[in-house]
Amino acid sequence: MSFANFLDYHHFPVYSIMVLFLGAFLIVLFGKNKFMRNLLAFLAVSISLACIVALVKPVMLDGEIIAYWMGNRAVAGGYAIGIALEVDALSLFFALLISTAVFVSGIYSLQYMEHDNNVPEYYTLFLMLSGGVIGLVLSGDIFNMFIMVEILTFAAVALTAFRNKAHGALEAAFKYLVVGCIGSTCILVGIIMLYAQAHTLNFAQLSAVIPGNMNNATKLAFALLFVGFGTKAFIVPFHPLAADAHGAAPASISVLISGVLTKSGIYGLIRLTYFLFQTMNLGTFQFLLVFIGSVSMFVCVTMALAQHDFKRLLAFHSISQIGYVLAAVGLCTGLGFSAGLYHAMNHTLFKGLLFLCAGAVLHQTGTTNLDELGGLSKKMPWTTGLFLVGAFSISGLPPFNGFASKWMVYQAAYQKASETGNIGFLFVTLIALVTSVLTLASFVKVSQSVFFGRLPAKYENVKEVKGGMIFAMCLFAILCVVTGLFPSAVTKYLTEPAARAVFSVVNYIDAAMGTGYAASAMGENLPVVASFNFNELGYWSPISWLLILCIALLAVTIVAVSGKYDKVSESSEIADSKYDLFFGGEKSVYSQVGGGDLFWGFKHNWRHYFSFMHDLHSGIVNDYSLWAIVALAIVTLFIQIVL
Amino acid sequence: MMTIVLTALQYLGYILIFPGFLFCFVIGMLLCGIDRKIVARMQKRVGPPVLQPFYDFFKLCGKETIIPAAASKTTFLAAPLVGLAALVVLQLFIPIHGFSAFSGMADIIVILYLLLIPAMAAMLGGAASGSPYAGIGLSREMVTIIACELPLVMVLLAVGKVVGGDAVTFSFSKIANYQLANGSLITHASLIPAAIAMLLIIPGETGNHPFDTAEAETEICEGLLAEYSGAPLAVYKLTHCVKVLTLTSFFAALFLGGIGTGIVVVDALILVAICIVLTIVSISFVHAITARLKIEQVFKFYWTIVTGLALISLVLAWYGL
Amino acid sequence: MFKKLIEESTAKSPWLFHINAGSCNGCDIELVSVLTPRYDAERLGFKLTGTPRHADIVVVTGPVTSQSLPRVLRAISQVPEPRCIVTMGSCPQSGNVFRGSYSVAGPLSKYVHVDVDVAGCAPKPEAVIDGLALATQILKEKRAKK
């Protein structure tokens, strides 16, 4: 085998997973040396990213589906025995955003973790987690998916408890472990039942065999797998775990839990419903996904409004945004699916940015409690600016990326409502729009309570974070702006190929099993390709808008500055009552309106809802396990009834 | 080459003169002046001259700008400018009887979000001042926005459904064309509740009586604007005036399209007349006969009565009545 | 041109900030009555503001008690230039019947430059409007001098 053979892009999926695990192993060996471990970690994440990026052209643009058999053990006798990686545009899309998040988070960790103990262990777990997630999305074999789920779950649990001296870290990890194990067990049992029925573990072959031969066992397997991957995506009712885990983990890990782990859950759900069981043609199943999505969206955003901790607030927002993704994906239209993937990507970017900002605040002040912080914009101008980019993106202010994807979600839901004549989908648009405003509200809350408002005396000496961390945040911020400014390019080159891949299951099966396998195995049951129309209801051209805004802003600024707008009187060092804040004539004292003081009118009108939610989220792991079991029971019944 | 320069100049003219800055500035101020005059007349007062907002604006421009020691200077000064510029750009997208300076760039959902930018700018500016009054004002402003958003969305969806039929639309030009062909949407029975709801939303969005809890001068010292003085304050006052114009002309574009001649100047004058009437109906009358509500009452009012009206419209429109 | 415009506007849009420096509330009520339909000071552009940052004219009522003095001075200092200070009623000018009390620190003119005094206990609304109108002219002059 010549050297050029190694550089064949068909090997790249394996490399991208392998370097991460290899890096984890090497850091255990050589991690005592700081330079060595930083270098190894950096190399691992960047090689992995490079491999994934190199695959964009063949898979996304040329539409090739890479089916890679480990050790060349390909299909024999109609059965796929070997371990397979199968990379279609959907897998690659998720792998791309995951490896981007991993790369940026890795860069951020270099400086963020330098004051912690046990940093080699941190990097080992970090790379295991990353490798697990990328392995999960690239795998073409359902049992390997389970193995990767286990790897990433245990790495994530260990990382959640990494700062185990901090309050609540061990408890959060324990909760995550218990409920995560319930999820993993569901997946394992589901896989066993599928194997008993179909005698194969290859995803493509299962997708060909199962849909035509549904019986009670496969239905139960479906319910188990659905709940299992739902746990990984932290959708309602598994959201309290996310809040605890994000809050306790180091910020660079929160980025991965929020931006990457939840995505792997969503990926699993998509593979299940669109490929393995092909149930998305049923209106009832669309309803299930859209319903769970809408509930997640709304419940978690209201939970976020009530939070007093920066990172917990962000954690609930993660689930809220995942709700958007799930609802959009559940619409089962080309526009909806594309919008969902677009939002998934944007969520990784802006939520990553926000978690890094929270990490920066934690790194410099030692707390993320919204009731204690305030006025940091004067001390940390970079972090503030980058936070605002993230906040505008997530609350969907144009021209940032959150707007473009949310706008597509609204359109998709409204269009679906109009096509099917079902008024229920209309309420998805309504809930999504109201959720968006509530998201804005909670980020106004964060900016008032952390970055603006009054600076407490104890934070007088706070400094801006170091350049490396700012650089990592800037990467995310630039991506947020770019993906927001070129929505048509993003949809055309990234989300639309991925969406098309989902709507052509036959190609996926044939790529692994050989051309014609799907037709022969499925016979008349060949999946009906859902309509892939891309009619948008409105129009939005961010570039021109931004151009006009810039001209307008320039004009205003020129007029204002020539009118001596910036000629202001500022306080010198001497305390002068003129520059005090107005306190009704009293001497200006420290008084910060932030945290729980905000949005009283809203909270008052919703007080019964909030107190109900407060009672419901008891924080007891037994309760959450019970929720998981009840959710499993409901999903099982639902699937038993509708299929 | 010549044509490119001319086109650029034309668009620059759109941005700076009509329907951009100058138009917004003059007409917005005028609307506010008329509003104050009408309220005074309804209260049997003589009232200020119609040009009073102009006097206020120029006076504030000549005042000293004090930056409190606790404020973050850049945000404090930049916020009003961004808000104003965003609002003027928003006005450019609203069609005037078929004439639209920049068509095909933003639809009604985008407009919904663009309306948030000035409010967001004001909130950040207020937060940057460090004043606790601004903190309370910010909280109330946000609650008012949440309150208005739900009915506003429903109104827009109802309009989109009526115009598009089975192929629902968010497109502004489709709405304008539909009204050119079929007459104003307000004559459409199912949209009358939506129009009433929209009239009630206008004072909430602009922060006028009785929904001005966020800038209540007697209880929270002007709230968000508590620490602003001089030119930035003037810009905020101007932004408020432009917002009145924007929302009334938004209403005109949604419900009163199709009234016009096709000559831009005449249509602009008609639009101004419509805006004046709308300002009087939705802002002045409501102002003169009510006292300021509490913030939780504002929220309740919008999420029950106004949302109810909008929902009736939406359901009627959905079932094609 | 703009300078002239701003000067003219300064006289036409005076915003008031009202400070009660221990007043018996008589003057306060009279000040509000100036804004009622009968007298309607708003036709001259007067408007009550809630914060000194927005104000042009500070109206002080009451004999300036020792408790209120630092607060009055602080609030006045927070008014941006050009500003005008108007005392309303006899109390801030002379102390009126409270003169000589241990708790009165007035008159106000001991501490800041007072531009207009409106005498009376309480002054008639006509007198208040007259005084405020005088203050607007002073404001205009101050603006022109700048």
Side-chain angles (χ1 to χ4, degrees), chain A residues 107-126:
Chain A
I107 293 180
Y108 186 83
S109 306
L110 298 183
Q111 283 184 343
Y112 182 68
M113 298 304 294
E114 63 189 2
H115 301 308
D116 280 83
N117 298 327
N118 304 335
V119 184
E121 284 81 346
Y122 167 82
Y123 279 116
T124 309
L125 290 166
F126 176 89

Side-chain angles (χ1 to χ4, degrees), chain A residues 445-479:
Chain A
K445 170 175 159 173
V446 174
S447 43
Q448 160 74 10
S449 1
V450 177
F451 294 103
F452 296 113
R454 293 296 291 277
L455 184 72
K458 60 179 167 180
Y459 299 131
E460 272 309 324
N461 299 321
V462 166
K463 297 233 167 33
E464 182 59 278
V465 289
K466 283 191 198 153
M469 286 160 78
I470 291 179
F471 174 71
M473 291 193 264
C474 280
L475 281 180
F476 269 144
I478 290 167
L479 284 172

Side-chain angles (χ1 to χ4, degrees), chain A residues 59-142:
Chain A
V59 175
M60 284 281 183
L61 306 184
D62 305 343
E64 187 183 342
I65 298 175
I66 298 175
Y68 185 88
W69 301 92
M70 295 278 188
N72 280 332
R73 295 167 74 94
V75 184
Y79 272 95
I81 305 294
I83 297 171
L85 295 184
E86 186 159 6
V87 187
D88 65 347
L90 180 72
S91 308
L92 189 71
F93 178 81
F94 278 95
L96 194 62
L97 54 98
I98 287 164
S99 51
T100 311
V102 166
F103 178 70
V104 179
S105 171
I107 293 180
Y108 186 83
S109 306
L110 298 183
Q111 283 184 343
Y112 182 68
M113 298 304 294
E114 63 189 2
H115 301 308
D116 280 83
N117 298 327
N118 304 335
V119 184
E121 284 81 346
Y122 167 82
Y123 279 116
T124 309
L125 290 166
F126 176 89
L127 292 178
M128 296 263 287
L129 175 59
S130 316
V133 190
I134 294 185
L136 171 62
V137 297
L138 295 184
S139 174
D141 183 314
I142 196 164

